[in-house]
Amino acid sequence: NSKVIQTPRYLVKGQGQKAKMRCIPEKGHPVVFWYQQNKNNEFKFLINFQNQEVLQQIDMTEKRFSAECPSNSPCSLEIQSSEAGDSALYLCASSLPSQNTLYFGAGTRLSVL
Amino acid sequence: QQKVQQSPESLIVPEGGMASLNCTSSDRNVDYFWWYRQHSGKSPKMLMSIFSNGEKEEGRFTVHLNKASLHTSLHIRDSQPSDSALYLCAASIYGSSGNKLIFGIGTLLSVKP
C-alpha cells in the first residue's frame, strides 16, 4: 500500500470551477512532485517542491494551476478555472533528496464536465 | 517532441514467454533511467533503475543500458499474467534548474494465459 496519501480519489467539477486536491508525502520525504497522466497515458510534469520551496514548474502551472507544500500541512494542487482538457489522473509522488526513486500516491482522478 | 520514446506501444506475449520493451531518450543530459510498472487503476511503482552501461538483473527482470545511444530495454522472462500492466520508462534529465524526471507514454503489456 502506498504511503503517499492523496485525496480525494475522485473529483468532478464543471468548467470554470475550482478543483483542489491534496497530498501527504511519505514521512521523511521532503521532495514532492505533481504529474498529470491523461487518458493516453502521457505523463506531464507539473511542479516539484523541496520542503516548502518550488524547485521547478512548467509554464502551464504558472497560469491556472497553483500548488503549495506548507509545513505541517498537506501539499495541494489547485486548478483555478477548470477546463475539459484538465480531466486526467493527477499523481503526487515523494522522494528523498538526491534520490530519484519516486513513491506515488494512488492519484486523484479529475473529471471536468 | 517527447523526450522519452518507448516502443512498442503495446505488446502481447504468451504466458511463459519473453517480453522486450524499449526506451530511448532524445535528450543527452540523462544520468539515470528508471522503469516503473502501473497496473490498471493503480499508481506507478518503481521496478528497476540503471545508470551504468551494461546489464542489471533482478529475478525475471533484466534491464540493459547503452549510454552512447541513450537506449535502455527491459526484458521479462517467463512472463506471467500478473505482469500485464503499463510499463513506463523515465529518464532523469539534468538541467540548470536541477534534475527532472521525464516519463515516456509507456508500453502496455498483456500476458495471455
Side-chain angles (χ1 to χ4, degrees):
Chain A
N1 285 335
S2 176
K3 294 178 184 176
V4 177
I5 309 298
Q6 286 190 250
T7 56
R9 288 296 306 275
Y10 302 94
L11 193 54
V12 181
K13 294 290 176 183
Q15 294 198 47
Q17 289 186 319
K18 272 189 198 178
K20 188 168 184 174
M21 53 204 87
R22 291 174 177 82
C23 171
I24 300 174
E26 186 166 331
K27 193 174 181 181
H29 284 189
V31 184
V32 173
F33 294 77
W34 285 99
Y35 284 90
Q36 178 198 64
Q37 186 179 30
N38 66 19
K39 62 180 181 181
N40 297 320
N41 293 324
E42 291 165 328
F43 255 75
K44 184 183 285 185
F45 167 84
L46 295 177
I47 192 167
N48 64 346
F49 291 84
Q50 179 150 342
N51 297 312
Q52 291 81 54
E53 286 193 29
V54 174
L55 292 177
Q56 300 168 12
Q57 61 183 330
I58 63 165
D59 286 344
M60 181 182 78
T61 311
E62 294 174 21
K63 293 169 184 168
R64 296 184 298 110
F65 287 60
S66 61
E68 59 176 5
C69 273
S71 60
N72 301 317
S73 290
C75 298
S76 64
L77 176 69
E78 186 171 60
I79 307 172
Q80 297 302 320
S81 176
S82 302
E83 298 174 357
D86 297 331
S87 297
L89 179 67
Y90 289 83
L91 288 160
C92 173
S94 70
S95 76
L96 292 168
S98 73
Q99 194 188 89
N100 278 323
T101 300
L102 300 187
Y103 297 86
F104 284 88
T108 292
R109 187 165 295 281
L110 171 66
S111 297
V112 182
L113 305 178
Chain B
Q1 184 198 0
Q2 188 76 5
K3 286 191 174 187
V4 177
Q5 293 92 31
Q6 289 188 247
S7 63
E9 284 190 15
S10 60
L11 181 62
I12 300 174
V13 300
E15 185 173 356
M18 171 76 87
S20 295
L21 293 70
N22 297 293
C23 173
T24 305
S25 172
S26 58
D27 191 321
R28 295 217 66 86
N29 297 321
V30 173
D31 51 8
Y32 270 81
F33 279 99
W34 303 76
W35 285 94
Y36 283 78
R37 180 166 69 180
Q38 186 178 21
H39 284 106
S40 181
K42 304 287 186 184
S43 57
K45 296 231 177 350
M46 200 273 287
L47 264 182
M48 293 179 75
S49 63
I50 190 164
F51 64 94
S52 300
N53 263 332
E55 176 181 300
K56 186 173 169 183
E57 183 177 330
E58 289 181 8
R60 296 183 295 110
F61 297 84
T62 303
V63 172
H64 292 267
L65 174 62
N66 180 326
K67 287 191 104 167
S69 59
L70 299 175
H71 178 262
T72 179
S73 56
L74 173 68
H75 306 272
I76 308 172
R77 61 177 170 80
D78 188 25
S79 297
Q80 302 297 307
S82 58
D83 294 329
S84 297
L86 180 70
Y87 287 79
L88 295 156
C89 173
S92 176
I93 297 174
Y94 59 87
S96 57
S97 52
N99 274 35
K100 192 183 289 185
L101 205 59
I102 305 294
F103 284 82
I105 63 170
T107 292
L108 190 61
L109 173 65
S110 295
V111 181
K112 299 296 185 189

